[in-house]
């Protein structure tokens, strides 16, 4: 196997949660509120069980050939050349997603914290630890996630609890003021956008320990991660209302600025930002790792180590040219990105499972006929 390290099931579940959280901790409330309107919080909650179902779909696709990563699964189901073409499509998705995570970090840091720092410097500082993590391997990434995930959950808890005095329940009504377009967009975004982007987990699934309850644990992890995002959307709607939620790109950062307990416990937005940076870092790392492993698998390389530096430099270059600024990314790129997520995380996996089922049935019928 290309990767000699092994992940425990707990580390795999933690990485799943971090990938789902990722950049969603900042931009998810704005995106779902823009597309679904007043009932964004409700669609985010509905997306929790749907997201668990989507993770079940991912695991079923991986279980068709348990010892193969996503590239191997494509070639086994579709054949060599069709599987190779589909693999290239997914590899492009992985590398662009890693660059997009890096670019969101760069835009956030240069617009909210380091106002006079060139974005190229921020991006360079961000991609260096990504490359270092890839160089040290999967076990290091998994163990680091175990150490750092309590920071994210702790600050999410602080954000929700200390914003309760700012809650206005009338911000959630009316419940039925929605169109069919808002309904469909809200439902789809509620589970595709957070959980659908956990797809690169399938690239590292063969290197995780095989346990009896792996499917259940991954579904619970997907549900927990999506529930955190649903809670974030709900608290954003309760505190800021629909209009500000829609037009505030970095919603959780603005929410954390509103925390003020007795004029003593306040201005914790940088701490909140640090938890978001951690989750986005792991998301960008796993995406790039999936790309590196995929390229090595696609071209039958014996090792993937020599690909790490070129791939990190490609991510750095792409993150600089992907979008001119964050408003352009939100208004122009995200609508198409949602369709891309929908295609790679739902449409194509369903089609692949259908093709695998048909091939299995035909093989069974052929075997019975020959016997």
């Amino acid at each position: 196997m290309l990767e000699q390290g092994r992940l425990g099931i707990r580390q795999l579940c933690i990485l799943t949660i971090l990938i789902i959280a990722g950049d969603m901790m900042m931009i998810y409330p704005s995106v779902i509120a823009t597309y679904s309107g007043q009932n964004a919080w409700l669609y985010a909650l509905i997306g929790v069980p749907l997201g668990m179902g989507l993770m079940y779909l991912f695991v079923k696709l991986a279980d068709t050939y348990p010892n193969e990563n996503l590239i191997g699964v494509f070639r086994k189901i579709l054949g060599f050349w069709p599987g190779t073409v589909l693999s290239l499509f997914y590899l492009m998705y992985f590398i662009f997603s890693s660059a997009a995570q890096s670019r969101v970090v760069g835009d956030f840091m240069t617009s909210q914290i380091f106002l006079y720092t060139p974005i190229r410097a921020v991006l360079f500082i961000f991609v260096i630890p990504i490359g270092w993590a890839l160089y040290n391997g999967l076990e290091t990434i998994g163990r680091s996630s175990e150490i750092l995930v309590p920071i994210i959950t702790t600050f999410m808890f602080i954000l929700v609890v200390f914003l309760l005095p700012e809650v206005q329940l009338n911000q959630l009504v009316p419940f039925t003021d929605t169109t069919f377009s808002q309904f469909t967009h809200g439902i789809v975004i509620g589970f595709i956008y957070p959980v659908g982007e956990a797809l690169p987990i399938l690239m590292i699934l063969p290197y995780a320990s095989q346990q009896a309850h792996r499917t259940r644990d991954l579904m619970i992890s997907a549900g927990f991660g999506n529930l955190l995002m649903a809670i974030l959307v709900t608290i954003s709607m309760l505190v800021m209302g629909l209009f500000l939620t829609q037009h505030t790109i970095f919603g959780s950062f603005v929410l954390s600025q509103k925390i003020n307990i007795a004029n003593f416990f306040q201005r914790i937005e940088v701490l909140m930002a640090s938890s978001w940076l951690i989750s986005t870092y792991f998301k960008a790392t796993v995406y790039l790792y999936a790309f590196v492993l995929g390229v090595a698998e696609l071209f039958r390389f014996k090792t993937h180590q020599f690909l790490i530096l070129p791939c990190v430099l490609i991510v750095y270059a792409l993150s600089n040219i992907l979008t001119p600024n964050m408003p352009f990314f939100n208004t122009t790129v995200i609508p198409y990105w949602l369709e891309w997520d929908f295609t790679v995380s739902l449409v194509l996996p369903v089609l692949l499972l259908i093709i695998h089922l048909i091939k299995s049935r035909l093989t069974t019928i052929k075997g019975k006929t020959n016997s």
Side-chain angles (χ1 to χ4, degrees), residues 130-143:
I130 292 177
W132 183 246
L134 266 60
Y135 180 78
N136 283 281
L138 198 55
E139 286 189 12
T140 302
I141 296 173
R143 291 169 182 170

Side-chain angles (χ1 to χ4, degrees), residues 6-18:
R6 306 294 293 181
L7 279 179
I9 189 63
R10 181 174 61 184
Q11 296 170 340
L12 185 66
C13 291
I14 289 173
L15 283 175
T16 302
I17 294 171
L18 291 175

Side-chain angles (χ1 to χ4, degrees), residues 23 26-27 98-124 126 249-250 253 273 276-277 280 318-331 333-334:
D23 59 332
M26 282 291 181
I27 66 175
S98 183
Q101 310 304 318
S102 304
R103 180 61 192 227
V104 171
V105 169
D107 281 324
F108 168 75
M109 297 298 288
T110 54
S111 64
Q112 304 294 327
I113 300 177
F114 300 135
L115 302 181
Y116 301 104
T117 303
I119 190 170
R120 292 181 180 181
V122 174
L123 292 173
F124 186 72
F126 185 72
I249 298 175
F250 304 113
F253 184 76
W276 169 72
L277 289 172
T280 307
L318 281 176
S319 61
N320 275 284
I321 64 176
L322 187 65
T323 176
N325 50 57
M326 200 62 200
F328 178 88
F329 184 81
N330 270 18
T331 57
V333 177
I334 282 184

